[in-house]
């Protein structure tokens, strides 16, 4: 049977601690959580808020006021990490004024850069990876006794399915259905920071969905690193969509991000037939050159991706498609880049997230390929596709 951590009272998410006379459980302290990176991190921060609320912590929205400051971080590109190091220096100034403040670095960067954090920010009290949030109460307790806490064990059985996140009120709720990634794209640090893939069962997710509707949410966004490789027992992603589509009161279902290789017929059928599933897909291409895709280990060719898009548009003529693109990957020639540029023009994405390649320590590309496209060329290529995409998006919007 599913167990939920007790949530005492919604007032615990108030922006200020309760006043005198309010009958509430013992207040253990106040916490401020700052989130960087993807929606999965937003969802993880909600999970951390739930864990801490369950032991009597109030969530505040200003770092300056909180007893505990947690930074939930991203490791996907170098600039994401630089931003956090910069922010940590600022947060240390709060600690200098209020020495009892506990400062924690959580999430992917904690997992990826433990040693660098210890060296560059020795004032950090807690370092917790994505599979270690259950030990937050213990970590804070240790840190409050001036005992730094490091929790970085990746645990392929950890799915947090029994814990209740605290979500901001609203229309849209993030729902993590799968954690980790088994794909091993050569440029990507996620398999190393988030560990192996695991999915939460259909009945648990359906129950959570009912609960979200009861709380007033109208839309859910299913989250996973390769959300459509979802597999829980004999149920695949298509089955999950069909099941959640039957949840009464729910209006819309979205999901992010699917992997082209897992875009199976049942998934496409479910998307086309389920009235609540939005006709929208974020389908990361990364590169329009099959040679580069192979070096990235994306496991599809440019033509296979084209065929998939054609098949989906055939079934769903109004399908809106967005994507992720990386320019300047190891060994990318001008010709490879031109293939990306023209493929983007051919597919005409509604929108795109575009990045220049950032070499990440620990990845397969870092170990066995050379980051040989000059920075200047990476920037030029990036500007080139951004400009083209800007015009395409503009035309589609009109
Ligand atoms: N499957 C995940 C991918 C997470 S990373 C998801 O879609 O949720 C998001 C995007 O960041 C990737 O699709 C890729 O385009 C980009 N990215 C990942 N590693 C990168 C790197 N080393 N350099 C530049 N961009 C990267
Ligand atoms: Fe990263 Fe590729 Fe997985 S981009 S998250 S290794 S699908």
């Amino acid at each position: 049977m599913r167990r939920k951590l007790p949530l005492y009272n919604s007032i615990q998410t108030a922006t200020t601690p309760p006043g005198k006379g309010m009958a509430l459980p013992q207040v253990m302290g106040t916490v401020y959580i700052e989130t960087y990176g993807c929606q999965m991190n937003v969802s993880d921060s909600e999970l951390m808020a739930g864990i801490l609320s369950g032991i009597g912590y109030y969530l505040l929205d200003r770092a300056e006021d909180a007893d505990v400051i947690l930074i939930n971080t991203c490791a996907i590109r170098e600039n994401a990490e630089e931003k956090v190091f910069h922010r940590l220096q600022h947060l240390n100034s709060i600690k200098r004024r209020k020495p009892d403040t506990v400062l924690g670095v959580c999430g992917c960067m904690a997992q990826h850069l433990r040693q660098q954090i210890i060296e560059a920010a020795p004032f950090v009290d807690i370092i917790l990876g994505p599979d270690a949030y259950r030990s937050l109460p213990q970590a804070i307790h240790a840190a409050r006794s001036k005992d730094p806490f490091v929790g970085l064990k990746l645990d392929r059985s950890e799915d947090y399915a029994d814990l209740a996140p605290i979500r901001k009120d609203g229309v849209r709720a993030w729902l993590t259905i799968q954690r980790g990634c088994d794909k091993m794209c050569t440029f990507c640090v996620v398999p190393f920071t988030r560990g192996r893939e695991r999915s939460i069962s259909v009945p648990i997710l359906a129950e959570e969905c009912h609960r979200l509707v009861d709380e007033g949410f109208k839309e859910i966004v299913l989250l996973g690193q390769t959300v459509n490789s979802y597999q829980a027992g004999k149920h695949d992603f298509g089955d999950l969509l069909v099941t959640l589509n039957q949840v009464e009161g729910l209006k819309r279902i979205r999901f992010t991000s699917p992997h082209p290789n897992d875009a199976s017929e049942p998934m496409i059928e479910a998307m086309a037939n389920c009235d609540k599933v939005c006709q929208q897909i974020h389908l990361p291409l990364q590169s329009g050159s099959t040679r580069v895709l192979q070096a990235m280990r994306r496991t599809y060719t440019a033509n296979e991706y084209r065929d998939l898009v054609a098949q989906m548009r055939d079934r769903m003529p109004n399908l809106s498609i967005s994507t992720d693109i990386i320019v300047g990957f190891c060994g990318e020639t001008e010709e490879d880049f031109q293939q990306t540029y023209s493929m983007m023009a051919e597919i005409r994405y509604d929108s795109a997230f575009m990045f220049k390649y950032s070499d990440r320590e620990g990845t397969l590309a870092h170990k066995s390929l050379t980051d040989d496209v000059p920075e200047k060329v990476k920037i030029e290529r990036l500007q080139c596709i951004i400009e083209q995409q800007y015009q395409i998006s503009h035309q589609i919007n009109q």
Side-chain angles (χ1 to χ4, degrees):
M1 193 57 204
R2 186 168 184 214
R3 189 183 62 83
K4 290 270 180 199
L5 269 183
L7 295 184
Y8 298 127
N9 193 311
S10 63
I11 194 120
Q12 270 184 274
T13 60
T15 49
T16 51
K20 260 193 196 159
M22 283 190 177
L24 284 170
Q26 192 190 1
V27 180
M28 297 296 288
T30 53
V31 60
Y32 164 78
I33 305 176
E34 188 166 296
T35 310
Y36 293 84
C38 61
Q39 284 103 334
M40 184 73 86
N41 270 9
V42 175
S43 170
D44 279 358
S45 291
E46 293 174 341
L47 186 74
M48 288 192 245
I51 293 173
L52 292 178
S53 170
I55 58 158
Y57 273 81
Y58 282 84
L59 276 180
L60 300 185
D61 60 6
R62 267 166 47 103
E64 288 77 2
D65 302 332
D67 305 324
V68 178
I69 302 174
L70 299 175
I71 307 295
N72 190 8
T73 59
C74 169
I76 204 84
R77 284 167 291 274
E78 199 179 350
N79 58 4
E81 291 178 337
E82 279 165 4
K83 222 189 276 176
V84 168
F85 275 122
H86 195 74
R87 181 70 176 139
L88 285 176
Q89 294 306 328
H90 172 75
L91 294 173
N92 190 31
S93 66
I94 299 176
K95 252 179 98 85
R96 276 199 232 100
R97 284 199 306 278
K98 286 169 50 195
D100 286 339
T101 309
V102 170
L103 178 57
V105 178
C106 307
C108 288
M109 183 179 157
Q111 195 75 38
H112 185 223
L113 287 189
R114 167 213 177 134
Q115 201 49 39
Q116 285 92 324
I117 295 168
I118 292 172
E119 281 161 22
F123 47 84
V124 166
D125 307 290
I126 296 172
I127 300 182
L128 276 193
D131 283 348
Y133 299 144
R134 233 175 252 276
S135 51
L136 256 178
Q138 192 191 345
I140 292 177
H141 183 76
R144 287 190 131 178
S145 322
K146 305 285 174 213
D147 192 9
F149 189 99
V150 177
L152 294 175
K153 208 167 155 300
L154 287 174
D155 176 356
R156 65 183 304 175
S157 68
E158 179 59 273
D159 61 10
Y160 301 115
D162 58 324
L163 302 184
I166 285 192
R167 298 176 167 91
K168 286 220 172 88
D169 289 343
V171 174
R172 177 186 287 182
W174 311 112
L175 182 57
T176 298
I177 67 163
Q178 174 211 55
R179 301 185 69 88
C181 182
D182 282 351
K183 288 284 194 279
M184 287 289 174
C185 303
T186 56
F187 54 80
C188 185
V189 80
V190 170
F192 304 96
T193 62
R194 287 189 167 271
R196 303 299 302 269
E197 183 182 318
R198 62 218 98 132
S199 299
I200 298 174
S201 78
V202 172
I204 286 183
L205 293 169
E207 187 193 323
E208 182 71 11
C209 231
H210 282 287
R211 216 167 64 92
L212 289 167
V213 170
D214 290 344
E215 284 174 19
F217 289 99
K218 302 272 179 261
E219 174 178 325
I220 52 162
V221 186
L222 309 176
L223 298 179
Q225 297 300 335
T226 53
V227 72
N228 57 338
S229 67
Y230 175 90
Q231 188 74 46
K234 56 183 187 352
H235 298 295
D236 64 14
F237 187 63
D239 299 331
L240 179 67
L241 290 179
V242 169
T243 304
L244 298 185
N245 194 59
Q246 290 156 13
V247 172
E248 218 171 294
L250 185 66
K251 297 263 186 286
R252 285 179 300 278
I253 303 172
R254 299 178 200 274
F255 55 88
T256 194
S257 282
H259 190 286
N261 273 103
D262 296 307
S264 61
E265 193 51 43
M267 176 195 110
I268 298 172
E269 274 308 296
M271 281 185 78
N273 297 334
C274 295
D275 58 324
K276 292 174 186 168
V277 178
C278 295
Q279 304 269 297
Q280 173 206 1
I281 193 162
H282 182 75
L283 198 60
L285 167 66
Q286 313 299 1
S287 169
S289 152
T290 294
R291 209 182 64 79
V292 173
L293 288 172
Q294 271 162 2
M296 290 176 162
R297 267 211 210 160
R298 284 295 289 180
T299 60
Y300 50 85
T301 64
N303 277 338
E304 281 164 352
Y305 185 101
R306 274 190 185 92
D307 291 347
L308 174 63
V309 169
Q311 188 193 351
M312 294 185 78
R313 281 185 165 152
D314 190 42
R315 290 291 282 118
M316 295 169 272
N318 292 325
L319 183 69
S320 134
I321 309 183
S322 56
T323 199
D324 289 343
I325 303 285
I326 300 176
V327 295
F329 186 62
C330 310
E332 184 189 75
T333 63
E334 182 58 30
E335 194 191 326
D336 293 319
F337 169 70
Q338 284 305 329
Q339 288 175 8
T340 301
Y341 184 82
S342 48
M343 188 143 168
M344 289 179 78
E346 173 194 326
I347 295 201
R348 291 180 66 80
Y349 293 102
D350 291 73
S351 66
F353 293 107
M354 295 161 276
F355 312 101
K356 58 187 168 70
Y357 172 60
S358 167
D359 180 40
R360 308 278 56 215
E361 214 178 310
T363 58
L364 302 177
H366 179 81
K367 285 182 198 142
S368 56
L369 301 172
T370 314
D371 181 13
D372 54 1
V373 177
E375 186 64 15
K376 190 170 154 280
V377 176
K378 285 183 185 172
I379 293 171
E380 280 166 11
R381 290 179 185 171
L382 185 60
Q383 275 165 350
C384 200
I385 55 167
I386 288 175
E387 258 162 51
Q388 170 175 256
Q389 185 56 46
Y390 176 81
Q391 295 194 355
I392 294 173
S393 297
H394 185 70
Q395 288 159 8
I396 293 175
N397 284 337
Q398 296 224 318

